Amino acid sequence: MAEDYITVTISDQDFKIKCSELEVDLLNRSAAYLDIKMSELKKTSPTLPKDKIAIMAALNIISDYLKKEDELREYETISKEIELIQNSLNFEETK
């Protein structure tokens, strides 16, 4: 798998990052998302240093990710319960 260097800009700073060709789009989207989140924080807290903005953005992004992960787990549980009910109903119909 070929690897290449790409440059992403986050909070007006360029970063040259090595990644596989298959991950270029994801890396660009991730960098753009982080840039947006850091810009939002900078607008609400303009005196906050860049390193603290980066940490706060990372914590917010991870918090959102973990919430979505919990929701997904809940949907999977509900889906399994629905499947059990459907199987039970199908069993009753075949009697």
Side-chain angles (χ1 to χ4, degrees), residues 40-79:
E40 290 172 355
L41 284 169
K42 189 172 183 164
K43 285 179 187 171
T44 60
S45 303
T47 59
L48 206 59
K50 195 179 280 190
D51 60 335
K52 291 192 180 190
I53 288 173
I55 291 170
M56 292 303 298
L59 288 171
N60 289 339
I61 291 167
I62 288 297
S63 178
D64 290 343
Y65 171 82
L66 292 174
K67 284 178 196 172
K68 294 294 182 191
E69 195 174 62
D70 289 344
E71 287 176 15
L72 182 59
R73 216 176 280 116
E74 186 176 330
Y75 290 143
E76 287 173 351
T77 300
I78 291 169
S79 178

Side-chain angles (χ1 to χ4, degrees), residues 72-89:
L72 182 59
R73 216 176 280 116
E74 186 176 330
Y75 290 143
E76 287 173 351
T77 300
I78 291 169
S79 178
K80 287 177 185 174
E81 291 173 2
I82 290 171
E83 187 178 344
L84 287 172
I85 291 169
Q86 286 176 331
N87 289 341
S88 174
L89 292 172

Side-chain angles (χ1 to χ4, degrees), residues 5-34:
Y5 285 93
I6 67 164
T7 301
V8 295
T9 304
I10 302 169
S11 195
D12 300 323
Q13 190 171 356
D14 290 339
F15 297 90
K16 192 172 184 178
I17 301 172
K18 185 177 183 180
C19 71
S20 75
E21 291 175 351
L22 298 174
E23 295 176 329
V24 169
D25 183 56
L26 180 60
L27 181 56
N28 280 318
R29 289 178 23 228
S30 299
Y33 187 79
L34 179 57

